[in-house]
Structures are given as C-alpha cells and as structure tokens.
Amino acid sequence: MAAEDVVHVLRRFREALVPAGVMLDLQVIRPDPVVEVGGAPVCEIDGSPLFATADSATAGVDAMVATGLLVEEAVDDHDVLKHYSSGAELVEDLASKPRKLPPEAVPVLERLERPCVVRERCRLRRLRRSD
C-alpha cells in the first residue's frame, strides 16, 4: 500500500470516530521476527516486506499526532507470539506470506517435529480524536 493510501485510510478512520472517540493502532515494529524452539532462537524472519507498509502507517499516524488531529494517550510495546505445532507447520504457513524464512533454515524447520514460536515486537497506541 502506498504512503498516500495509508494516509487516506487513516483520515477516513479519524472521520468515522465520534468527537473525542478512541482508536487503537496496532503495528509491527523492529527487530525482525524470530523463530524460537524451546525458548532458544533458531532464525530470524525477513520482516522488511511488512515493515515497508508499517513504516508508512506509522508515519501517517505520527503526522496526524503532530498536526493535532489525533492525541496519543498511551503506548505499549510488547511481544506477540504465534505458536506452531511443528517446524513444518510454520514453513507451510509462511510459504504464502510476503515475509520469508532464510533459505538455509527451511530444511531444518521442515524436519523439526517440536512446537515452534514466532516472536515479534508490536506497538499498541491509544489515540483519541481531537476536535
């Protein structure tokens, strides 16, 4: 999605809010997501395809805050974990996504018959429409 499309969508969201209404903004943030097995890191997932869109959205929200259209009331950075029953399930799930595993990690994960977790950082922001 192009940056101007993101800004357009954000403005439409803001217009849909009642005066002083609240909007929650959830975004993925750096660093790249990490695949873990038993709490130990196995590899990183290339997050750049998702960060490109996320960066545009962040810039759009930041601009709306800077111009006073939205007020940022709270921010929470946290980990989000997605659980898989096996490495093969994880590889299959990511095969259709823009984010990619490192090629050398795919055969290792495909043979892994243990639960896996993808850990990624996210930011939740509480925004209020200002009028």
Side-chain angles (χ1 to χ4, degrees):
M1 183 179 290
E4 56 273 0
D5 294 333
V6 171
V7 171
H8 174 73
V9 169
L10 288 169
R11 287 190 184 279
R12 295 295 305 258
F13 278 143
R14 184 192 174 276
E15 290 168 7
L17 289 174
V18 297
V22 172
M23 175 171 68
L24 297 177
D25 176 40
L26 178 64
Q27 35 183 251
V28 294
I29 59 175
R30 288 167 182 78
D32 285 329
V34 175
V35 175
E36 297 177 357
V37 176
V42 174
C43 66
E44 288 187 356
I45 299 171
D46 178 13
S48 59
L50 191 54
F51 292 142
T53 302
D55 289 347
S56 294
T58 299
V61 171
D62 290 347
M64 293 179 84
V65 169
T67 60
L69 294 173
L70 293 172
V71 175
E72 184 178 85
E73 294 184 333
V75 177
D76 177 58
D77 290 356
H78 57 280
D79 288 344
V80 171
L81 306 178
K82 185 165 184 181
H83 296 266
Y84 295 89
S85 62
S86 68
E89 182 185 20
L90 183 152
V91 170
E92 181 182 338
D93 183 46
L94 288 180
S96 62
K97 309 254 167 84
R99 299 186 297 175
K100 300 298 177 201
L101 290 162
E104 65 277 6
V106 172
V108 173
L109 289 169
E110 286 177 327
R111 290 189 305 273
L112 190 64
E113 296 181 10
R114 295 178 52 202
C116 301
V117 171
V118 173
R119 178 184 301 272
E120 59 188 313
R121 293 295 288 167
C122 290
R123 176 168 291 149
L124 180 63
R125 299 200 286 184
R126 179 184 164 124
L127 305 161
R128 182 170 304 279
R129 176 179 165 169
S130 60
D131 291 298

